[in-house]
Amino acid sequence: MNKIRILSIIAVFMVQVIYGLTFTFANDVIDAGHVRPFGFILLRVLGATCMFWLLSLFTPREKIETQDFVRFIVAAFFGLVLNMLTFFKGLEYTTPIHASVIMTVVPIVVLVFSSIFLKERITLLKMLGILLGFSGAIILSVYGRSTQSGDDIVLGNFLVFINAVSYSIYLILLKKLATKYHPFTFIRWLFLFGSIMVLPFGYSELAAVEWHLFTPYIWLSVLFVVIAATFGTYLLNPLALQHLKASTVSIFLYIQPVVAGIFAVIMGSDHVNSVKIVASALIFSGVYLVTRRPKS
């Protein structure tokens, strides 16, 4: 395994660790009632957009073909607009544990889409890795459910499922863009188009925010979601996709339920037992099998 591939795997691993923490942070902000879901999304996208365009001032310029702007708009819709709107609205009705487990359908959807649109070969090793990871996630969900139910679990879970499918489509589109342009080139346009599309949904909710009511923890959670879970992850994912297959990147999503469980233990809301250890081992084994390169 070469150095670039190792760094790419570390990058995509960090993305899933950040996302695993985001379920709790975002849910706490929404449950506190200080920011409504769509207002939170607009704040998240606008904040990251500003950071990406500031970053572009210090990076080389690259010419973009006119027809590719249509791809940017479509990728922004699936990767930012539909993805975030359904995720945050879903968190309003469901729990972080439910949401993180539902997201484990992404590798399966990406694997199917990759074989159709990217002509990626589905190997037996990959299928075994996905089966192991999915089994671990299911076991973890059965024994790791939150004691507090959302207002409408079924609706919330359905919205998170739509988010998962949307994210899968985004990864496929992103793979095509990442092989043609450097991430610094297209990611700023992706967020600019995304912020324009999100604006009508979140403007009124963001305008109604009473910032003086924010506690230090709420401020920390908001900053984490904007800086780490948006700017950081949307920068690392395309960098990793330059050297990894879309299906390989998606399998790392199985790490999210593990991170959610570990974070719950740290926060004192859960405990470790043998079942959770076995489930975590299955998930990481699945990730290992999928990321292994077949011998020539």
Side-chain angles (χ1 to χ4, degrees), residues 184-245:
F184 294 156
T185 299
F186 67 78
I187 200 72
R188 66 180 186 270
W189 290 103
L190 214 65
F191 269 80
L192 180 62
F193 293 136
S195 61
I196 293 171
M197 287 186 275
V198 168
L199 188 62
F201 295 94
Y203 176 76
S204 60
E205 291 185 0
L206 186 60
V209 173
E210 297 179 331
W211 303 98
H212 64 281
L213 296 178
F214 279 27
T215 63
Y217 175 72
I218 295 298
W219 273 114
L220 172 66
S221 299
V222 169
L223 290 174
F224 179 88
V225 172
V226 173
I227 298 173
T230 312
F231 177 74
T233 60
Y234 278 83
L235 188 61
L236 289 174
N237 251 340
L239 284 171
L241 276 166
Q242 287 186 314
H243 309 287
L244 299 173
K245 291 183 178 181

Side-chain angles (χ1 to χ4, degrees), residues 15-24 255-257 259-260 263:
V15 166
Q16 299 310 325
V17 170
I18 292 169
Y19 278 151
L21 300 177
T22 302
F23 285 104
T24 297
I255 294 169
Q256 287 187 19
V259 175
F263 192 55

